[in-house]
């Protein structure tokens, strides 16, 4: 969706080109505040993603059975984000203004939001099926494959160059997910991660396939979103990012609502609430905090896109996936056997490799901008 790095520079007449020691302190203070914001956004993203995933598993482990409802609560909280429209985007320096062609038509924008929204709805539903049938630790490790799919689709849609670090990441993440096929602890029919019933292996395979398919859909969605910003929207400010999230959420929530009522699962909500193992209040609070958690994730994700880049936001999101298996061992008593440990190590290794490539890209972009600045200063100082 955006460049891997960003260097904001602004000049005001000839005096702006002179080094002024008195100006350094405010700049350092602003940079300090920016990194505080980045740290806050990172915490919001990681905590929202981890808590949302664990609460989703808690819903199924305590007797929840509605896949449509579990999907809906991950999407329908988007009105919480509406106040963010009040945030003003920083003024763009004159030197970085890009002349654009005429803005896209409403029909083009609608087609982008609808198609991506439907893809998000399908992906979230498949994720819910995977979370219903898999131990949460296994589910989270399989989700790591979304980075590999993102890189693959970006190669075809966004002209991504396969560097050695990207290839290394793809291989490690593929092996990490493939190892989990040999897992022997599928979720039992009663929602616990314990004794296996005869048909649980089939459900495990179903959950595995759905989670891999959802990860592929998520990777495709990210690549298509980046392509949409480049070819259709042709701008990437805070409001454009917010429009993309809100309109996508409206479409995806509407699609899941239709499925929820068409499937007839809405009729069993009251019975499901009555039969919930930890009580009615716990049922309501589980769903409510699931809504809040995923919107917290969205705020952190949008904040990182706004302050750094979309690639950085995606890398942090993927890096946070191994956190969930650790908590799954504590709260759901998932077994952390040798296969899972190896898969986790490979997944983290793949994350680091992918993130390091983004770091190199960021250095390269910053270096080009600094070289351009030096050339401009040389021309301005020459008689």
């Amino acid at each position: 969706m955006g460049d891997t790095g960003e260097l904001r520079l602004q000049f005001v007449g000839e005096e702006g080109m002179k080094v002024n020691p008195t100006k350094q302190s405010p700049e350092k203070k602003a940079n300090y505040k920016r990194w505080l914001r980045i740290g806050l956004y990172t915490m919001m993203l990681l905590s929202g993603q981890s808590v949302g995933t664990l609460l989703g598993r808690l819903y199924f482990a305590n007797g929840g059975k509605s896949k449509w409802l579990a999907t809906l609560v991950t999407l329908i909280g988007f009105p919480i984000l509406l106040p963010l429209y009040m945030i003003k985007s920083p003024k763009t320096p004159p030197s970085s203004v890009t002349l654009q062609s005429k803005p896209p038509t409403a029909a083009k924008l609608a087609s982008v939001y609808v198609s991506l929204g439907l893809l998000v709805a399908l992906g979230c539903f498949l994720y819910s099926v995977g979370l219903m049938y898999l131990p949460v630790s296994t589910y989270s490790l399989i989700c790591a494959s979304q980075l590999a799919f993102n890189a693959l689709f970006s190669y075809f849609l966004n002209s991504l160059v396969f560097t050695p670090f990207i290839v290394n990441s793809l291989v490690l993440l593929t092996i990490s997910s493939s190892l989990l096929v040999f897992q022997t602890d599928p979720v039992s029919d009663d929602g616990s991660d314990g004794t296996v019933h005869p048909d649980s292996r089939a459900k495990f395979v179903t959950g595995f396939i759905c989670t891999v398919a959802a990860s592929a859909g998520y990777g495709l969605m990210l690549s298509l979103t980046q392509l949409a910003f480049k070819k259709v929207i042709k701008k990437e400010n805070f409001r454009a990012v917010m429009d993309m999230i809100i309109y996508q959420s409206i479409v995806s929530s509407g699609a899941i609502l239709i499925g929820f009522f068409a499937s007839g699962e809405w009729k069993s909500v009251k019975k499901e609430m009555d039969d919930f193992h930890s009580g009615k209040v716990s049922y309501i609070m589980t769903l409510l905090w699931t809504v809040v958690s995923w919107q917290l994730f969205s705020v952190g994700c949008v904040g990182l896109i706004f302050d750094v880049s979309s690639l950085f936001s995606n890398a942090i999101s993927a890096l946070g996936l191994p956190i969930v298996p650790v908590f799954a061992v504590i709260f759901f008593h998932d077994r952390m056997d040798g296969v899972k440990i190896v898969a986790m190590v490979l997944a983290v290794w793949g994350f680091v490799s992918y993130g390091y490539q983004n770091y190199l890209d960021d250095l390269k972009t910053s270096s080009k901008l600094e070289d351009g600045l030096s050339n401009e200063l040389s021309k301005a100082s020459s008689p």
Side-chain angles (χ1 to χ4, degrees), residues 55-130:
L55 287 175
R57 182 61 207 145
L58 180 66
Y59 166 76
F60 289 117
N62 280 274
K65 299 178 181 178
S66 175
K67 297 182 287 290
W68 290 102
L69 181 60
T71 306
L72 186 61
V73 294
T74 66
L75 299 169
I76 205 168
F78 65 89
I80 299 175
L81 303 181
L82 293 179
L84 294 179
Y85 272 109
M86 299 176 64
I87 298 177
K88 293 182 179 180
S89 300
K91 293 182 179 179
T92 306
S95 59
S96 66
V97 174
T98 303
L99 294 178
Q100 299 182 23
S101 56
K102 60 181 181 180
T105 63
K108 282 186 177 180
L109 287 176
S111 63
V112 168
Y113 296 142
V114 170
S115 58
L116 290 177
L118 292 176
L119 185 59
V120 168
L122 176 61
C124 288
F125 179 77
L126 292 175
Y127 273 133
S128 294
V129 175

Side-chain angles (χ1 to χ4, degrees), residues 14-33:
E14 295 182 357
E15 294 181 1
M17 300 179 186
K18 299 178 181 179
V19 177
N20 188 350
T22 61
K23 296 290 185 181
Q24 292 180 359
S25 181
E27 290 175 0
K28 288 183 178 179
K29 186 176 181 181
N31 191 51
Y32 177 72
K33 289 182 177 179

Side-chain angles (χ1 to χ4, degrees), residues 46-60:
L46 294 178
S47 59
Q49 177 177 263
S50 301
V51 173
T53 303
L54 291 170
L55 287 175
R57 182 61 207 145
L58 180 66
Y59 166 76
F60 289 117

Side-chain angles (χ1 to χ4, degrees), residues 45 146-147 150 218 222 301 304-305 309-319 354:
L45 186 152
Q146 68 188 35
L147 265 182
N150 185 22
Y218 183 77
L222 288 178
C301 183
L304 289 178
I305 291 173
S309 70
S310 59
L311 282 175
F312 183 83
S313 179
N314 185 29
I316 293 297
S317 176
L319 184 60
Y354 192 92

Side-chain angles (χ1 to χ4, degrees), residues 170-222:
L170 291 175
V171 172
L172 292 173
L173 291 171
T174 301
I175 295 175
S176 172
S177 297
S178 300
L179 282 175
L180 298 174
V181 175
F182 303 102
Q183 278 296 111
T184 58
D185 58 339
V187 180
S188 63
D189 288 351
D190 61 359
S192 62
D193 297 345
T195 306
V196 181
H197 285 167
D199 61 338
S200 289
R201 186 63 187 175
K203 291 183 177 181
F204 178 86
V205 173
T206 300
F208 181 91
I209 293 174
C210 287
T211 306
V212 171
S215 298
Y218 183 77
L220 176 61
M221 186 272 293
L222 288 178

Side-chain angles (χ1 to χ4, degrees), residues 277-330:
H277 296 170
S278 50
K280 294 181 180 180
V281 175
S282 177
Y283 178 85
I284 295 173
M285 296 304 293
T286 298
L287 296 180
L288 177 61
W289 285 110
T290 301
V291 171
V292 174
S293 297
W294 284 114
Q295 296 315 307
L296 190 68
F297 165 84
S298 297
V299 172
C301 183
V302 173
L304 289 178
I305 291 173
F306 184 53
D307 252 323
V308 190
S309 70
S310 59
L311 282 175
F312 183 83
S313 179
N314 185 29
I316 293 297
S317 176
L319 184 60
L321 288 173
I323 296 175
V324 178
V326 176
F327 285 107
V329 173
I330 299 172

